[in-house]
Amino acid sequence: RRNEDDGDDDDLLRRILAAAAARGIPLSLLMAQANQYSEEDDEDVEYPFASPPRSLKDVADFIRSENCKKILVLAGAGMSVASGIPDFRSSNGLYATLDAGKLTCDPMQQEKIRNDPTYCLDQHLFLENPLPCLEVNREFILGVRDRKWKATLAHRFFELLNTQFQGKLCRLYTQNIDGLEDQCVGLPHSQRIAVHGSMDEAECAVCGYKTNFHDFCTLVERQIKDITGRDPNAPSESTPIRCASCGALAVKPSIVLFRSSLPKVFFENVPRDLKNVDLLIVIGTSLDVAPANTLVFRVPKSSMRLLINRERVGWQVGLDVDEEDRDFFGQGNCENVCLELMEHLGWLDKLRPLLDQHELPDASAALLRERFQQPPGVKSENYKSENCETETKNLKAPTVS
């Protein structure tokens, strides 16, 4: 006999499946998540490390060891903060300061953008009218082309991780769209998967045809007006960019717009990338956004997991399990924590050429110079002022009073 609530459960399931289909999330991913929470595994886990990590030095020692054979990374906006990349969601970010009246759109579209600034990056709106998306992103697109923002120490950490321990870094999954990883020549494009797309590539939203990024930028410069008023050479009116393949007026940066699906490359690679992972590094992310956050609980139960972040996050995806002896919280901003890891790994001197060639953001360069002026093993004042002490901070669930 059916329970009274069965109808509600069926309706909820239909809604979940419909939402997943709309976002392009495979059913297999939902099943993996459901199985993860429903399985009860009381068997002892054999960890590839001798003892639980109690410091960043312990994590560095494990990275250096032969037992650490496969490393996976999940990165968020915190990894790019030091570069000065403009953000969208803060109190003075793009959404809060956007003047919808300056965008090329009809009154109804303008009103929707006023009520919800994220609508200017909506897939349905773009197919109706691509100009608001291109106008909002014009400065970002051209800034990426001109390398206005530089890869941070955190980016360089993963580059060195790949070059110094060849074969250990399996993949870097980034939720960022800035493309800064591509400035790191020691980090091949094939090892980076941009979960939400990347601003340093271009494609047609209708047929998917890939457009040369520099050619795209030239067209953006010539055809899209500057709503900030900072570019005196920008056109006074915007005209959409035509696809060279299908002719649609729908060429855009290769970013995932709202109400569109994630890149297939994410779903194609995740299952095999998760197998036999020895270390998962989660850096600069709130872990609020699915399906990227599912990597945290889908890695093997034996994997060490390092969280690099200012605040403790991830309890909703399993980083609050007290019984586990595999998680470590490297508290602080990403630059400081990654610099400390590189010091433990003996890589500081490999960063000197980046200073000489002015390849670091100003904030990162200042932090590195200060570190070079300190005796080995002594944290700089910058470490202390940023509250970046990272020893003996095992990840625990918050105490609820």
Side-chain angles (χ1 to χ4, degrees), residues 140-187:
F140 200 163
I141 294 166
L142 299 181
V144 169
R145 178 198 63 181
D146 299 336
R147 295 188 67 163
K148 181 177 179 180
W149 306 286
K150 298 175 181 178
T152 65
L153 288 171
H155 290 95
R156 300 300 178 175
F157 166 64
F158 295 113
E159 180 183 26
L160 285 171
L161 190 61
N162 190 54
T163 58
Q164 300 304 303
F165 297 118
Q166 291 188 8
K168 287 197 177 190
L169 180 61
C170 168
R171 198 90 61 191
L172 189 157
Y173 286 86
T174 178
Q175 299 169 88
N176 301 329
I177 61 173
D178 50 50
L180 291 180
E181 298 84 8
D182 288 335
Q183 294 184 15
C184 302
V185 294
L187 193 60

Side-chain angles (χ1 to χ4, degrees), residues 282-330:
V282 178
I283 178 170
T285 172
S286 64
L287 289 177
D288 285 334
V289 180
N293 63 357
T294 66
L295 298 184
V296 173
F297 62 74
R298 295 176 67 193
V299 293
K301 295 180 183 295
S302 60
S303 304
M304 181 184 291
R305 299 185 298 190
L306 168 64
L307 172 66
I308 300 174
N309 207 50
R310 282 186 176 275
E311 297 86 26
R312 298 185 182 193
V313 296
W315 299 295
Q316 76 279 19
V317 287
L319 280 176
D320 64 334
V321 183
D322 288 320
E323 290 78 13
E324 291 190 341
D325 290 324
R326 57 175 177 152
D327 299 331
F328 181 74
F329 179 27

Side-chain angles (χ1 to χ4, degrees), residues 329-374:
F329 179 27
Q331 185 178 15
N333 68 49
C334 299
E335 294 295 88
N336 292 56
V337 177
C338 286
L339 183 58
E340 185 176 343
L341 275 170
M342 288 188 280
E343 182 172 11
H344 288 309
L345 289 163
W347 294 346
L348 288 191
D349 284 340
K350 299 183 184 300
L351 299 172
R352 289 186 184 276
L354 297 174
L355 283 178
D356 298 337
Q357 297 162 17
H358 306 288
E359 289 293 326
L360 289 172
D362 291 343
S364 304
L367 179 65
L368 185 56
R369 288 193 188 95
E370 184 178 355
R371 188 66 202 92
F372 282 138
Q373 293 170 1
Q374 299 292 326

Side-chain angles (χ1 to χ4, degrees), residues 242-274:
R242 188 177 299 277
C243 175
S245 178
C246 73
L249 299 173
V251 181
K252 67 175 184 65
S254 298
I255 56 175
V256 176
L257 298 177
F258 292 105
R259 292 201 288 175
S260 64
S261 59
L262 297 186
K264 290 182 179 179
V265 67
F266 173 79
F267 300 110
E268 291 169 350
N269 283 274
V270 163
R272 64 172 170 266
D273 285 350
L274 286 169

Side-chain angles (χ1 to χ4, degrees), residues 5-55:
D5 294 335
D6 284 351
D8 292 338
D9 290 343
D10 290 345
D11 182 62
L12 178 60
L13 179 59
R14 281 194 295 271
R15 289 171 180 269
I16 291 172
L17 294 176
R23 294 288 294 170
I25 300 174
L27 180 60
S28 59
L29 182 63
L30 293 178
M31 294 301 296
Q33 183 166 354
N35 289 338
Q36 178 72 25
Y37 285 117
S38 62
E39 287 178 355
E40 290 188 5
D41 185 2
D42 295 328
E43 295 181 5
D44 291 337
V45 176
E46 185 175 345
Y47 297 109
F49 40 93
S51 58
R54 301 295 183 190
S55 67

